[in-house]
Amino acid sequence: MDTNTEVKRLFIGLPLPEHFSDELFEFQLLYENMQGIRWIPKNNLHITTCFIGDVEIEKVTEINSKLKIIQKKYEAFFLDFDKLCYAPKGKKAYMVWAKFFCNELFNKLSNDIKEQILQEKSNNKNFIPHITLARFKKIDKSIINFDYPVENQHVEIKKMVLYESVLKRTGAEYTVLETYNFLK
């Protein structure tokens, strides 16, 4: 990529129903003053299906066209909420997730997007659908109580979104470039 070429940092995500993001935000508020942790703003909560990275502006139209084709192959579907947890699993965790159970349609969609957009051969990998709620470097992990009662266990996914991510000192800012509604 030419260093003078203008690029956009892109990813594809699944926006959340308002009632579900409201619940997750209530959980975040319990720990908003905790030192060493950066909570993701409510309006940035989503389920990532594919991080694309830096893309030359003239290639955004091609990505948009491919996503419109993918969109027509999928109906709205449900994800079942599993739990709130640290991630990745183990001692090196640096995020707080709202994790869902594995889902065949989500895996199919994620693999389809990776094949079409990133030109990666599908390995039929089982992706873990999740929402990143926070990032941290070092915290006392015993402070956060993950037994928070999440009422909405069955979350409907009606669309996917092509986002632009602009990195700022205060965190990433996301802009919706295009929305792709799934079939009903």
Side-chain angles (χ1 to χ4, degrees), residues 11-27:
F11 70 92
I12 301 158
L14 306 175
L16 306 172
E18 185 88 22
H19 64 276
F20 192 70
S21 56
D22 287 345
E23 274 195 85
L24 296 177
F25 184 65
E26 290 298 320
F27 169 76

Side-chain angles (χ1 to χ4, degrees), residues 84-89 93 95-96 136 139-142 144 146:
L84 298 166
C85 61
Y86 289 115
K89 206 172 183 179
M95 294 180 281
V96 175
F136 56 86
I139 61 168
D140 178 354
K141 292 182 187 161
S142 66
I144 296 179
F146 289 122

Side-chain angles (χ1 to χ4, degrees), residues 63-118:
I63 290 170
N64 184 38
S65 297
K66 288 179 178 181
L67 288 172
K68 285 181 180 178
I69 292 168
I70 292 170
Q71 160 198 14
K72 293 175 185 170
K73 294 166 44 178
Y74 292 89
E75 293 183 3
F77 61 96
F78 286 91
L79 290 175
D80 292 317
F81 179 75
D82 180 9
K83 62 185 176 182
L84 298 166
C85 61
Y86 289 115
K89 206 172 183 179
K91 291 183 180 183
K92 298 288 184 191
Y94 61 94
M95 294 180 281
V96 175
W97 278 6
K99 184 175 169 238
F100 295 87
F101 288 103
C102 286
N103 178 288
E104 190 176 327
L105 276 173
F106 178 81
N107 285 335
K108 190 173 180 323
L109 174 64
S110 297
N111 280 308
D112 204 1
I113 289 170
K114 288 207 187 314
E115 273 187 31
Q116 298 301 314
I117 305 301
L118 298 180

Side-chain angles (χ1 to χ4, degrees), residues 15-182:
L16 306 172
E18 185 88 22
H19 64 276
F20 192 70
S21 56
D22 287 345
E23 274 195 85
L24 296 177
F25 184 65
E26 290 298 320
F27 169 76
Q28 289 177 312
L29 287 176
L30 295 173
Y31 303 100
E32 69 179 333
N33 295 321
M34 190 173 164
Q35 295 294 313
I37 193 163
R38 186 172 47 81
W39 293 98
I40 307 300
K42 179 183 167 191
N43 62 326
N44 279 2
L45 297 177
H46 65 277
I47 301 167
T48 300
T49 56
C50 179
F51 178 75
I52 302 170
D54 290 335
V55 174
E56 294 174 4
I57 287 183
E58 55 271 5
K59 294 189 178 185
V60 174
T61 303
E62 180 185 335
I63 290 170
N64 184 38
S65 297
K66 288 179 178 181
L67 288 172
K68 285 181 180 178
I69 292 168
I70 292 170
Q71 160 198 14
K72 293 175 185 170
K73 294 166 44 178
Y74 292 89
E75 293 183 3
F77 61 96
F78 286 91
L79 290 175
D80 292 317
F81 179 75
D82 180 9
K83 62 185 176 182
L84 298 166
C85 61
Y86 289 115
K89 206 172 183 179
K91 291 183 180 183
K92 298 288 184 191
Y94 61 94
M95 294 180 281
V96 175
W97 278 6
K99 184 175 169 238
F100 295 87
F101 288 103
C102 286
N103 178 288
E104 190 176 327
L105 276 173
F106 178 81
N107 285 335
K108 190 173 180 323
L109 174 64
S110 297
N111 280 308
D112 204 1
I113 289 170
K114 288 207 187 314
E115 273 187 31
Q116 298 301 314
I117 305 301
L118 298 180
Q119 310 291 295
E120 290 181 3
K121 180 83 175 110
S122 172
N123 57 4
N124 292 319
K125 180 180 177 184
N126 279 330
F127 295 96
I128 300 170
H130 67 275
I131 302 157
T132 301
L133 298 176
R135 297 181 192 284
F136 56 86
K137 289 193 171 132
K138 187 176 180 181
I139 61 168
D140 178 354
K141 292 182 187 161
S142 66
I143 293 174
I144 296 179
N145 177 9
F146 289 122
D147 289 334
Y148 185 80
V150 175
E151 306 252 337
N152 295 290
Q153 300 285 314
H154 204 54
V155 179
E156 187 173 20
I157 305 299
K158 295 181 179 181
K159 57 190 167 187
M160 66 181 168
V161 170
L162 177 61
Y163 292 97
E164 177 181 10
S165 173
V166 177
L167 298 177
K168 302 212 170 180
R169 203 170 52 82
T170 54
E173 286 184 11
Y174 304 150
T175 303
V176 172
L177 297 182
E178 190 75 39
T179 299
Y180 311 88
N181 292 312
F182 295 128

